[in-house]
Amino acid sequence: MPSNRLAAQIAFIHEIDKLKYIRRKTRLFNSDRNENDAEHSWHLAVMAIVLAEHADEDIDLLKVLKMVLIHDIVEIDAGDTFLFDTVKGHDNTEEELEAAKRIFGVLPEDQAEELIKIWQEFEARNSPEAKFARTLDRFEPVLQNISNKGGTWAEFDISYPKVMEKVKVIKNGSARIWDYSEARIRESVDQGILREQ
Amino acid sequence: MPSNRLAAQIAFIHEIDKLKYIRRKTRLFNSDRNENDAEHSWHLAVMAIVLAEHADEDIDLLKVLKMVLIHDIVEIDAGDTFLFDTVKGHDNTEEELEAAKRIFGVLPEDQAEELIKIWQEFEARNSPEAKFARTLDRFEPVLQNISNKGGTWAEFDISYPKVMEKVKVIKNGSARIWDYSEARIRESVDQGILREQ
């Protein structure tokens, strides 16, 4: 029934407002203010639009947009995990799957299924769209940290090899964005805003 | 040249970070914290995905997403104008056009042209995508105000007829979302969170 569908969709629209309260470790560009997940998701979406031409494989831009817009919604229940957290793994936790089922489950069943599937595709990192979405998800904090004189790299005393290990997934979606990232990260060491070892 | 394109795109990605500082009058759901334009744009994009089936006309969802993701970027220069501002018109100002040219103009020329065109289409309110994007843009604050016991309607002492005059554009994109909005706004009067006259 249409009216029930709309009611469920509106309940979901209410529920996801909470993403605006989930604070990331990363700060805004040239800023000491933490970014929240809604702002981050918006930024990735616009990045997808303007950087799509640099994807290595053919991508369905609409799917990439859906992916980046919803990829962090599970953090409403599961919380943000810092990329360099050494205790808790960053992805694919049981907690996140439960969160996906609960939150997307507020929607009508067909829509819940579609969005859970897209979120799982993002997590699985295999499709051209997932690889490119992951590229963007790692590339934004690189740009932010560089603009913040080292940002979270400096704040949490992360070394160059550790940064490279975590951001190398950028390469899976775009050789060009990877070349750019690699050069800028190396420069950060030379500039003394990222420690060599 | 590809490398120049990427440099211009990254400059644009930096520039639009400022949208996260543009505060709207409207508050988050069940909250007294103002929403910013980046959060608002993200929320409209997810709403577009889950509410697309209620558009009265066939819409190109990818175009709607581009539209809502970039529709407020001009406010980086021109600032947010409150919907119920009686002095300054809400839209189509010369100031906003100058802002569009400057900010989208940071991008490579073909991309600047595409996004200025999409923004102008949104402002012109004629295409199915623009009408539906406008529906979402007006519908989000209705939901927020209702969840905030009147929200900006109460805060700025706006009457029922004035609210109806401003939100009736919801009808142009979706009869179903309009029916829902109309009923909920009428209920708000009955509940005493929106004054009758």
Side-chain angles (χ1 to χ4, degrees):
Chain A
M1 277 161 52
S3 66
N4 283 351
R5 284 185 69 85
L6 183 56
Q9 288 153 347
I10 290 170
F12 177 75
I13 290 163
H14 270 256
E15 179 62 28
I16 64 171
D17 194 68
K18 295 175 186 164
L19 202 63
K20 299 168 189 169
Y21 296 97
I22 310 289
R23 275 164 44 129
R24 293 165 52 80
K25 286 281 188 293
T26 320
R27 318 281 175 151
L28 303 186
F29 288 80
N30 306 111
S31 172
D32 60 0
R33 204 262 271 167
N34 289 77
E35 187 177 46
N36 69 52
D37 270 349
E39 296 169 328
H40 164 67
S41 303
W42 167 78
H43 218 144
L44 296 197
V46 184
M47 287 170 71
I49 294 169
V50 302
L51 298 177
E53 69 192 56
H54 304 299
D56 286 341
E57 296 175 84
D58 282 342
I59 51 164
D60 171 353
L61 181 56
L62 177 58
K63 197 203 267 184
V64 174
L65 287 178
K66 288 181 178 180
M67 214 171 248
V68 297
L69 287 165
I70 63 129
H71 79 292
D72 271 343
I73 283 179
V74 294
E75 297 189 356
I76 287 172
D77 284 358
D80 180 54
T81 304
F82 185 42
L83 183 59
F84 298 100
D85 192 318
T86 51
V87 178
K88 195 174 170 188
H90 189 61
D91 295 302
N92 288 310
T93 63
E94 188 61 31
E95 197 181 1
E96 287 190 344
L97 181 60
E98 285 309 307
K101 288 181 187 165
R102 184 192 73 75
I103 302 166
F104 296 121
V106 174
L107 286 165
E109 201 173 327
D110 57 316
Q111 292 189 313
E113 275 172 19
E114 187 206 345
L115 294 188
I116 290 171
K117 203 173 144 208
I118 288 178
W119 173 74
Q120 286 177 320
E121 186 176 323
F122 174 78
E123 290 293 310
R125 312 164 184 213
N126 290 322
S127 71
E129 287 81 12
K131 284 190 265 183
F132 189 62
R134 292 247 155 212
T135 291
L136 301 173
D137 193 32
R138 285 288 189 281
F139 186 45
E140 192 219 22
V142 167
L143 293 176
Q144 287 167 325
N145 282 340
I146 289 169
S147 83
N148 286 325
K149 299 190 170 57
T152 54
W153 303 333
E155 188 177 350
F156 297 95
D157 195 30
I158 315 290
S159 68
Y160 172 74
K162 193 79 190 165
V163 169
M164 292 300 277
E165 182 198 322
K166 287 292 185 181
V167 304
K168 68 182 181 216
V169 297
I170 291 174
K171 198 188 210 162
N172 300 341
S174 170
R176 188 165 296 142
I177 295 174
W178 173 245
D179 288 347
Y180 176 90
S181 302
E182 207 181 12
R184 297 300 309 273
I185 295 168
R186 188 63 234 175
E187 263 174 37
S188 299
V189 175
D190 301 340
Q191 291 165 356
I193 60 174
L194 173 61
R195 70 175 163 90
E196 175 98 49
Q197 289 296 333
Chain B
M1 279 163 50
S3 65
N4 284 353
R5 284 186 70 85
L6 183 56
Q9 289 152 347
I10 289 170
F12 177 75
I13 290 163
H14 271 255
E15 180 62 28
I16 63 171
D17 194 68
K18 295 174 186 164
L19 202 64
K20 299 168 189 169
Y21 296 98
I22 310 290
R23 276 165 40 131
R24 292 164 53 79
K25 287 281 187 292
T26 320
R27 318 280 176 153
L28 303 186
F29 287 80
N30 305 109
S31 171
D32 59 0
R33 204 262 272 167
N34 289 77
E35 186 177 46
N36 69 52
D37 270 349
E39 296 169 328
H40 165 66
S41 303
W42 167 78
H43 218 143
L44 296 197
V46 184
M47 287 170 70
I49 294 169
V50 302
L51 299 177
E53 69 193 56
H54 304 299
D56 286 340
E57 297 175 84
D58 282 342
I59 51 165
D60 171 354
L61 180 57
L62 178 58
K63 197 203 266 185
V64 174
L65 288 177
K66 288 181 178 179
M67 214 172 250
V68 298
L69 287 165
I70 62 129
H71 80 291
D72 271 342
I73 283 179
V74 294
E75 297 189 354
I76 288 173
D77 285 358
D80 179 54
T81 305
F82 184 41
L83 182 59
F84 297 100
D85 192 319
T86 52
V87 178
K88 195 174 170 188
H90 189 62
D91 296 303
N92 288 309
T93 63
E94 189 60 32
E95 196 181 1
E96 287 190 343
L97 181 60
E98 285 309 307
K101 287 180 186 165
R102 185 192 73 75
I103 303 166
F104 296 122
V106 174
L107 285 166
E109 202 174 324
D110 58 315
Q111 292 189 312
E113 276 172 19
E114 187 205 346
L115 295 189
I116 290 172
K117 204 173 142 209
I118 288 179
W119 173 74
Q120 286 178 320
E121 186 176 324
F122 174 79
E123 290 292 310
R125 313 164 184 210
N126 291 322
S127 70
E129 287 80 12
K131 285 189 264 182
F132 190 62
R134 292 246 156 211
T135 291
L136 301 173
D137 193 31
R138 285 288 189 279
F139 186 46
E140 192 218 23
V142 167
L143 292 176
Q144 287 167 326
N145 283 340
I146 289 168
S147 84
N148 286 325
K149 300 189 171 54
T152 55
W153 302 332
E155 188 177 349
F156 298 94
D157 195 29
I158 314 290
S159 68
Y160 173 73
K162 193 79 189 165
V163 169
M164 292 300 277
E165 181 197 324
K166 288 292 184 181
V167 304
K168 68 181 182 217
V169 297
I170 291 174
K171 197 189 212 164
N172 300 341
S174 170
R176 187 165 295 142
I177 294 174
W178 173 246
D179 287 347
Y180 177 90
S181 302
E182 209 181 10
R184 296 301 308 274
I185 295 168
R186 188 63 234 174
E187 262 174 37
S188 300
V189 175
D190 301 339
Q191 291 166 357
I193 61 175
L194 174 61
R195 70 175 164 91
E196 175 99 47
Q197 290 296 335

